[in-house]
Amino acid sequence: MTEKKGIIFDFDDTLVHTNIMFNEIKAAFEEMMQGFGLYDEKMSDILNKFDIANVEKRQGYAKECFPHALKQTYAHYSSLYARPVHSKEIRQIEALGNQIYQQKPRPLEGAESFLADLQAEYKLLLLTKGDPILQKNRVMASGLSPYFTDVWVVWNKTATDFKKVLAAHGLQTAQTWSVGNSIKSDINPALEAGLACILLQVTDMWDYEDAEAIGPYALAKSFEECRMILQGNSYRK
Ligand SMILES: [Mg+2]
């Protein structure tokens, strides 16, 4: 019996819509702020800066980061427009920010059949960033968890994390792929660990995940393209 090959998948914006959910909440926030008379065209940049600073400070996607960034943006504009802050409005903003974690993650179109097809040939593993309990619940709610042998949640993906997943599941480096939408999180640490990588960009992503690649990887713009690369082992020596 031959051992199955492995694929270590990313979750957010690789298999489920995440950025789009944040953008919906951000649009609702901007509307709310306009209602308070607190708005200018720089708002989305300012919110993004607060959000990134919070993630960097917490060294990961802690669930407090986004609602906190909304409140910081409210405080910033309240001060800018010399308008008093209202605790009722802060509570409204906090509730809006937390909605992101109450929504059921929606799989990208075709994600489920893609995983179902791969399952026969590959051992599928999920390595995702964020709050461990929250992420595990989101994976369950997405309906995609039955396709994965195991789900790993880390604050930030490193080469060591990829090596740990390989070791825990008896996978060979040369027989395992990393597939994800972020060069920073899914490609660079996986290349460092010696894996072959596919950058799968089916949907938009947060610019915080932008980076320069440290080595070669294959690019797929659809699940079908990704499947073809996996079948052809196209750039593997
Ligand atoms: Mg991602």
Side-chain angles (χ1 to χ4, degrees), residues 27-98:
F29 172 70
E30 290 196 8
E31 205 174 301
M32 189 183 269
M33 290 288 278
Q34 283 176 10
F36 299 153
L38 300 173
Y39 182 78
D40 66 23
E41 74 288 350
K42 291 190 209 127
M43 183 171 287
S44 74
D45 286 343
I46 287 169
L47 170 58
N48 203 29
K49 276 183 192 147
F50 279 129
D51 204 5
I52 288 174
N54 293 342
V55 168
E56 282 174 350
K57 195 168 162 195
R58 292 295 306 265
Q59 299 187 313
Y61 290 155
K63 59 181 183 234
E64 299 78 18
C65 292
F66 179 65
H68 189 51
L70 296 183
K71 289 189 284 181
Q72 287 169 301
T73 307
Y74 171 76
H76 170 86
Y77 278 92
S78 297
S79 155
L80 190 68
Y81 287 91
R83 180 183 180 271
V85 298
H86 299 278
S87 54
K88 189 178 158 214
E89 290 170 357
I90 295 173
R91 283 196 300 275
Q92 259 178 283
I93 289 167
E94 191 152 33
L96 179 67
N98 283 320

Side-chain angles (χ1 to χ4, degrees), residues 10-14 181-182 186:
D10 170 53
F11 186 60
D12 287 293
D13 288 322
T14 294
N181 72 317
S182 161
D186 309 316

